[in-house]
Structures are given as structure tokens and as C-alpha cells.
Amino acid sequence: EIVLTQSPATLSLSPGESATLSCRASQSVSSYLAWYQQKPGQPPRLLIHDATKRATGTPARFSGSGSGTSFTLTISDLEPEDFAVYYCQQVNNWPPALTFGGGTKVQLK
Amino acid sequence: EVRLVESGGGLVQPGRSLRLSCAASGFTFDDHGMHWVRQAPGKGLEWVSGISWNSGNIAYADSVKGRFTISRDNAKNFLYLQMNSLTTDDTAMYYCAKDIRVGATTRFGHFEDWGQGTLVTVSS
């Protein structure tokens, strides 16, 4: 099973600052990695898929990079609505196994 | 507008069964794979099971293999999850999610749209 490790667990920042979230895979997932945002009491929302592609409606301040085993989600110029938990997720189709990282909480400093 | 509405959750005793349903609308249901993802209270996300557009590819997380069965009815635009031999570890919010991949593929992709979830509580 491919394990995804997210760091840091918590990020304390102020609006206007930039956030850099990391996701490392225990083996290569090529570019089959997504990022989701989840706010309390809500389902997750897809932000980035296939490592670098913004989902429909994702603001341009969100960007994804990386391939293989190391990935980054960058949020530029944090807005108040960006404070949430972020999860990475990989797709391995042979055999099918889709796993999530443990999450990074971006909180108000 | 894509709409996914889960139902069937509730309080159930350990060892019993429950069947979840997900009503889909706003998109061509049989063009997409579908998934169940769960989240235990205060915990992270766990993929539970996925099914391709034509039910030709079905997969489960190891934690539910042999106990849960995913299925779909493309004529009715419904996704199901039959959960047997439930344990307290299965207590979670269960989300129905639409796969981002479109067309006649059995490969799974990421989760493009999500329902609001249905809560399953396993307790005596």
C-alpha cells in the first residue's frame, strides 16, 4: 500500500501570507495526486488533480507541483476562507488502491 | 449542477448490517466511476470502495474487503454500499463521490464531486 505523509501537521499563518504544504509518497505515484480542502461540517472539495491541474472553480492562488514521490501545494496570499484542512490523495490503479494523507491544518496565527 | 445525496445511515449494533444509497443527478451517471469515502469523527479521510462506470472494475480498501459490497444501478442513477458485520471502527460519515474520469474507462481517478454524507454509528 502506498502511504502518503503530509507535513507539517499544522501551519499557523496570517492572511496575506503564503502557505507551502508538502505530501510525500512511499513510492512513485507519477502525477496521480490530488489536493482537497475541507472546512468543518463540510465535505472535501477538490482543488488540484493530477498534481498540477486546478479543478473547476479553484482560485489561481492555489498551485500544485511535483511528481513521483514529492508534491507541494502552495497557497499564495492567503484569504480568510483558506483556513481549513488540506488532504492529498493518490490513485494507484494496479491494483486499485486510493489513499489519503493525514492532512495539514492551516490555521489563523 | 451535480448533486449527490446519500441516505441510509443511522445507529446500528455491532455485527449488524446497513445499506447506504446515493442518488445522483446533474450529470451523465453512467459516464463516471463512483466511490464511497468515509471519515471517522475528528479523523482524516479514508477511501472505502470504488466502482467503474459499467461495474467492470470494483475495488475495496483492505479494512472493508469481504464485508462491504459496492454496486450501482445506472438505470436509476443510484450508487449503493451494502455493509455487513459492522464494527465500532466503521463509525464514520460516509460520502459518495464522483470520479473525475469520464467515459468508458475502468481506471479510477480523483474525486471531483462529493455529497454531504450520511452518518453511520455502530454502537451497542
Side-chain angles (χ1 to χ4, degrees):
Chain A
E1 177 186 306
I2 297 175
V3 176
L4 297 180
T5 302
Q6 291 189 241
S7 62
T10 306
L11 207 46
S12 298
L13 295 167
S14 301
E17 292 189 301
S18 291
T20 301
L21 287 66
S22 172
C23 178
R24 292 189 180 273
S26 59
Q27 64 189 77
S28 177
V29 299
S30 185
S31 295
Y32 299 123
L33 189 107
W35 292 94
Y36 301 85
Q37 176 193 66
Q38 188 177 32
K39 298 179 181 179
Q42 296 183 18
R45 168 196 170 195
L46 178 65
L47 294 175
I48 302 287
H49 64 93
D50 297 307
T52 63
K53 300 175 182 177
R54 273 189 291 272
T56 303
T58 300
R61 63 181 181 274
F62 291 89
S63 63
S65 63
S67 66
T69 62
S70 182
F71 300 86
T72 300
L73 174 69
T74 301
I75 313 171
S76 303
D77 194 11
L78 277 164
E79 297 282 347
E81 61 266 29
D82 299 336
F83 293 93
V85 179
Y86 293 84
Y87 294 94
C88 59
Q89 177 251 331
Q90 65 84 24
V91 177
N92 183 16
N93 273 287
W94 313 114
L98 290 69
T99 54
F100 288 91
T104 291
K105 183 178 183 180
V106 178
Q107 65 181 21
L108 200 56
K109 188 173 183 181
Chain B
E1 179 197 0
V2 172
R3 197 152 182 254
L4 301 169
V5 180
E6 303 91 339
S7 60
L11 175 63
V12 62
Q13 292 179 326
R16 303 299 291 264
S17 300
L18 210 56
R19 188 197 198 203
L20 304 184
S21 299
C22 171
S25 60
F27 66 101
T28 305
F29 185 65
D30 59 8
D31 258 356
H32 291 267
M34 297 293 296
H35 302 268
W36 290 99
V37 177
R38 69 184 179 183
Q39 187 169 34
K43 302 296 184 182
L45 300 167
E46 180 188 19
W47 171 78
V48 173
S49 181
I51 185 169
S52 63
W53 68 282
N54 63 349
S55 305
N57 185 20
I58 288 175
Y60 300 96
D62 287 344
S63 58
V64 306
K65 205 171 290 184
R67 300 188 300 123
F68 289 11
T69 302
I70 192 172
S71 61
R72 63 188 295 161
D73 185 333
N74 286 348
K76 296 180 178 177
N77 288 2
F78 266 82
L79 175 72
Y80 304 101
L81 186 68
Q82 177 66 43
M83 304 187 296
N84 298 332
S85 304
L86 286 162
T87 74
T88 54
D89 288 342
D90 297 316
T91 292
M93 181 71 78
Y94 283 74
Y95 296 103
C96 165
K98 168 178 151 280
D99 197 294
I100 197 170
R101 292 185 185 270
V102 62
T105 176
T106 55
R107 290 172 62 87
F108 293 134
H110 304 300
F111 312 123
E112 184 174 31
D113 295 284
W114 299 66
Q116 291 297 312
T118 187
L119 183 61
V120 172
T121 303
V122 184
S123 174
S124 55

